[in-house]
Amino acid sequence: MKAVRYFGHKDVRVVNDLEKPVPKGDEVLLKIGGAGVCHSDLHIIDEGTVGNLTFTLGHENAGWIEEVGDTVKDYKKGDAVLVYGPWGCGHCKPCQQSKENYCDHQSELGYGGGLGLNGGMAEYMLVPSSRLLVPIFDLDPVIAAPLTDAALTPYSAIKRSLPKLMPDEFVVVIGVGGLGHVAIQILRETSGAAIIACDVTEEKLAFAKELGAAYTVNSKDADAAEQILKITGLKKAKVILDFVGATPTIELGTKIVGMDGDLTIVGLGGGYYQYSMNGLPFGVTMTNPYWGSRTELMEVVGLARQQKIHIEIEKFDLDQANEVYDKMRHGQIKGRAVLVP
């Protein structure tokens, strides 16, 4: 079996000699249709955030059921499914609420397939429990694979703030990349707020306009905050969704968020914020959500099946994995890259 394997810091190789897994109990063997490539992979590869583990990469996975263990119910060979990415214990209170992304035992477990445990950048993937599958019905697994993170993560972040996203408010999306371009579509379909998109290239800002942003601002501009405040007026923006998470974007968010607003930092850019009493308007909530729940992934599938959201993808072979990671490092992927076995 061919797979993209992580062997340690900056060491990723495509191997051809892995044994095809055999499912038992509640395990499910998936024939992979597509595996999304995410910036989180670069944190693992370039920064060694998972230590000295060796495993198959890929945490955005979709495909067709190839074989099931002897206790699996309600799934059969050929069913098209997504793999829910964060794998919890399955028993604690958050897991029972389908929020395995906030499992009480996460510190004792691997984060999920492709994030310390074997993922889906391979011809086949062994999923440890059928509870981690979400049917996609008539969706193409190649196109649907990135829904598991590139759509689920912004959807969950936006859902937290939906009561504040009224038609008389403004929401700012910082970073029109793999997650940000989906966030704009989700906001367009689920909220009434006017969308302001920020990025550092004119190409991505034009893309944001196509997707539904009412306004765009180049966040490299020294007066980016002033440009945004001219749009919002005195009240500023009610919700900021930062899909970069670097210090400059966090600082930008603090300047443009309004009273009782939400400053939501989704990106893993390694930035920091030095809190001070007068640094933020009163009532502001600063959060760093992680992924989303399994039931929210079902809702994301619903949006995709209704053609209300679409992830811009570029397809590559498994053998091109390192080439794709280089493209990502240089900002050369529009939307989401998907590896197709």
Side-chain angles (χ1 to χ4, degrees):
M1 182 182 77
K2 181 182 289 188
V4 180
R5 300 280 283 175
Y6 172 79
F7 290 93
H9 186 214
K10 296 187 177 180
D11 186 0
V12 172
R13 290 172 253 161
V14 180
V15 301
N16 297 283
D17 57 353
L18 290 184
E19 187 175 341
K20 180 181 173 181
V22 176
K24 58 183 183 298
D26 194 41
E27 296 174 341
V28 177
L29 183 67
L30 208 63
K31 180 178 174 62
I32 292 294
V37 188
C38 178
H39 273 276
S40 297
D41 298 341
L42 293 183
H43 289 286
I44 292 171
I45 297 165
D46 295 344
E47 301 169 22
T49 54
V50 297
N52 296 319
L53 300 175
T54 297
F55 59 93
T56 300
L57 288 161
H59 61 271
E60 293 185 342
N61 306 304
W64 303 270
I65 291 176
E66 177 74 7
E67 189 178 348
V68 299
D70 54 11
T71 65
V72 174
K73 299 178 181 179
D74 301 324
Y75 287 107
K76 64 183 185 303
K77 182 172 181 175
D79 287 347
V81 295
L82 296 176
V83 181
Y84 176 61
W87 298 351
C89 70
H91 305 292
C92 68
K93 184 176 178 180
C95 285
Q96 289 295 300
Q97 295 172 328
S98 100
K99 299 178 182 178
E100 299 200 29
N101 49 321
Y102 299 126
C103 173
D104 288 339
H105 301 278
Q106 188 181 82
S107 62
E108 303 167 344
L109 305 169
Y111 286 98
L115 298 169
L117 304 172
N118 286 329
M121 288 184 183
E123 294 173 295
Y124 297 93
M125 177 184 182
L126 186 66
V127 182
S129 173
S130 62
R131 78 172 191 277
L132 300 169
L133 303 178
V134 172
I136 56 174
F137 308 101
D138 54 348
L139 294 178
D140 179 354
V142 177
I143 296 172
L147 293 175
T148 57
D149 186 359
L152 174 58
T153 297
Y155 179 79
S156 184
I158 290 166
K159 195 173 175 182
R160 287 169 168 242
S161 297
L162 271 181
K164 296 182 178 181
L165 292 170
M166 296 295 105
D168 59 338
E169 303 290 357
F170 293 89
V171 55
V172 178
V173 174
I174 302 176
V176 189
L179 275 66
H181 90 282
V182 188
I184 292 170
Q185 298 173 67
I186 295 169
L187 288 164
R188 181 193 69 205
E189 297 295 335
T190 63
S191 85
I195 304 167
I196 304 172
C198 298
D199 207 291
V200 296
T201 72
E202 293 306 316
E203 179 186 9
K204 288 189 175 181
L205 293 176
F207 186 36
K209 277 274 193 179
E210 293 173 15
L211 296 173
Y215 308 91
T216 59
V217 173
N218 193 314
S219 46
K220 280 196 309 186
D221 293 348
D223 64 342
E226 287 76 12
Q227 291 182 50
I228 293 169
L229 294 178
K230 283 182 181 179
I231 297 168
T232 65
L234 188 65
K235 66 190 297 182
K236 301 185 178 180
K238 183 59 71 176
V239 177
I240 313 296
L241 296 160
D242 182 353
F243 292 100
V244 180
T247 299
T249 58
I250 295 172
E251 290 177 347
L252 174 61
T254 64
K255 294 174 182 176
I256 59 178
V257 67
M259 296 269 280
D260 198 32
D262 290 348
L263 177 51
T264 304
I265 303 166
V266 182
L268 302 176
Y272 63 90
Y273 171 68
Q274 183 68 45
Y275 175 79
S276 64
M277 180 61 69
N278 299 317
L280 291 170
F282 290 120
V284 167
T285 299
M286 180 181 282
T287 59
N288 61 332
Y290 174 64
W291 228 322
S293 71
R294 182 173 173 271
T295 52
E296 287 173 332
L297 182 55
M298 294 176 182
E299 294 164 9
V300 165
V301 169
L303 283 173
R305 292 189 72 203
Q306 292 180 52
Q307 299 183 355
K308 291 184 175 180
I309 59 171
H310 170 75
I311 299 180
E312 189 86 6
I313 68 167
E314 294 183 52
K315 300 179 187 178
F316 299 88
D317 296 332
L318 284 180
D319 291 322
Q320 296 177 279
N322 277 306
E323 175 188 336
V324 172
Y325 285 130
D326 281 339
K327 284 178 176 289
M328 289 179 66
R329 291 183 184 98
H330 294 94
Q332 296 173 349
I333 298 292
K334 181 181 180 181
R336 205 61 152 181
V338 175
L339 299 186
V340 181

